[in-house]
Amino acid sequence: GENVEQHPSTLSVQEGDSAVIKCTYSDSASNYFPWYKQELGKRPQLIIDIRSNVGEKKDQRIAVTLNKTAKHFSLHITETQPEDSAVYFCAAKGEDSSYKLIFGSGTRLLVRP
Amino acid sequence: NAGVTQTPKFQVLKTGQSMTLQCAQDMNHNSMYWYRQDPGMGLRLIYYSASEGTTDKGEVPNGYNVSRLNKREFSLRLESAAPSQTSVYFCASRDTTYEQYFGPGTRLTVT
């Protein structure tokens, strides 16, 4: 089945710097890759997603890139702000299932003012 | 539009006790999910229901049962709680674009 690995587990950046979180997946047929943000004590919420027919997607300060050959995808946050501090999860949906997402173990991002 | 709701928010059980976690969604979604979240391990799928009347095991189903009562409601039951089931439990539902919407979570402690 699908396996998703996420790095790093913690990331500390200065406000205004960029942050990059990387994930690799095992199922070459996976076709949907979302990123969720979870603030302390809150529920995870989708911030951006990408499908396998697209290489990059941007939404204001966040972007996701997908490399299907290498089976990895990354979240890029530019001009980080203290409110970006949270845990970020990547996930992948395998081709064999329209219903299941497999999540990475999460990255705790701290943006220092 | 409340989205996904869960009850209770907090629960403390003794080993061997049973309980049911309730989840409901008002977005007319077909698919619903139960996850557990443990420190450093992300979100692990316990059970899911692709549509009303169907349920399937996820990554960590042992010790749990589920019921898809109707299209809105999906409950998770612990028949004999164990300390290893101490966790935060999230229910989610999914729309047609694959986005999953999570409930607020239930923090369960088993002593």
Side-chain angles (χ1 to χ4, degrees):
Chain A
E2 177 70 277
N3 183 50
V4 177
E5 295 191 358
Q6 183 172 346
H7 299 281
S9 57
T10 59
L11 180 60
S12 180
V13 300
Q14 195 71 38
E15 181 177 358
D17 287 349
S18 295
V20 180
I21 303 170
K22 298 180 180 179
C23 289
T24 61
Y25 59 97
S26 60
D27 184 353
S28 58
S30 291
N31 58 12
Y32 174 67
F33 307 92
W35 286 89
Y36 284 79
K37 176 184 180 182
Q38 185 179 28
E39 297 176 354
L40 189 62
K42 301 287 181 63
R43 70 191 79 188
Q45 291 189 295
L46 180 74
I47 55 171
I48 195 167
D49 57 15
I50 193 168
R51 297 174 194 273
S52 58
N53 59 347
V54 175
E56 183 176 5
K57 184 176 178 181
K58 289 184 179 179
D59 183 2
Q60 299 183 350
R61 295 187 298 107
I62 61 173
V64 57
T65 58
L66 172 64
N67 183 326
K68 288 188 292 184
T69 302
K71 290 190 287 186
H72 68 70
F73 56 111
S74 300
L75 178 70
H76 304 254
I77 305 174
T78 59
E79 302 173 16
T80 53
Q81 301 168 2
E83 52 265 37
D84 294 329
S85 295
V87 178
Y88 292 82
F89 293 98
C90 64
K93 183 185 78 67
E95 176 68 17
D96 65 338
S97 171
S98 296
Y99 305 104
K100 292 193 293 184
L101 288 178
I102 302 300
F103 284 85
S105 54
T107 296
R108 184 173 299 279
L109 173 64
L110 174 64
V111 180
R112 306 186 305 274
Chain B
N1 191 338
V4 180
T5 57
Q6 291 182 235
T7 56
K9 284 186 168 47
F10 302 94
Q11 184 71 48
V12 179
L13 292 177
K14 295 185 188 306
T15 297
Q17 287 184 319
S18 62
M19 79 162 294
T20 300
L21 282 65
Q22 306 287 353
C23 174
Q25 53 93 9
D26 61 2
M27 296 176 283
N28 201 36
H29 291 165
N30 285 321
S31 303
M32 297 185 72
Y33 306 81
W34 277 104
Y35 294 91
R36 60 177 289 172
Q37 184 174 33
D38 303 294
M41 300 190 73
L43 293 154
R44 292 185 293 168
L45 182 64
I46 305 171
Y47 270 93
Y48 68 101
S49 171
S51 61
E52 185 179 355
T54 69
T55 60
D56 283 286
K57 295 178 181 179
E59 302 168 79
V60 288
N62 292 345
Y64 306 95
N65 285 301
V66 290
S67 294
R68 183 73 182 267
L69 304 169
N70 47 55
K71 191 170 186 178
R72 290 186 64 248
E73 298 172 289
F74 188 36
S75 62
L76 178 72
R77 183 160 178 84
L78 287 70
E79 291 291 352
S80 179
S84 60
Q85 294 178 305
T86 292
S87 189
V88 179
Y89 291 86
F90 285 100
C91 176
S93 67
R94 195 204 80 174
D95 68 13
T96 55
T97 67
Y98 300 132
E99 179 175 354
Q100 293 194 13
Y101 296 79
F102 287 82
T106 295
R107 187 173 296 275
L108 175 66
T109 301
V110 183
T111 62

